[in-house]
Structures are given as structure tokens and as C-alpha cells.
Amino acid sequence: MTALADKGYCGLDSQVVAVPWKGRHKPEPKKAYNRLHARVRAPG
């Protein structure tokens, strides 16, 4: 089972927790992933 989390959980196992990409000046595919991640992730 995979869980969606915010950037505070970036150190956990990537097979269990999906977090958005960090940093500025990301390529468009990473920006699109972050937008999708933000829409799907339930508020905590």
C-alpha cells in the first residue's frame, strides 16, 4: 500500500510513501507530478 504525504516525510521509504519533488526550477514533468500529488492528497 502506498500513502501520499507532504514534503516533511521525504526521508521515508519511497515504496511506501509518495512525496512531492522539492526545489526550484524543476522540469515540467516534476511540476505536473507535484500538481497531481497536491490534488489527490487528502488534507491531514
Side-chain angles (χ1 to χ4, degrees):
M1 179 180 346
T2 301
L4 298 175
D6 61 10
K7 293 178 186 174
Y9 294 94
C10 65
L12 297 178
D13 184 9
S14 63
Q15 301 234 357
V16 177
V17 178
V19 295
W21 291 93
K22 285 185 170 184
R24 295 171 44 161
H25 311 296
K26 292 178 283 304
E28 188 56 38
K30 289 183 181 182
K31 289 179 184 180
Y33 172 82
N34 282 355
R35 285 190 296 268
L36 178 65
H37 184 275
R39 285 187 203 139
V40 176
R41 184 174 59 91

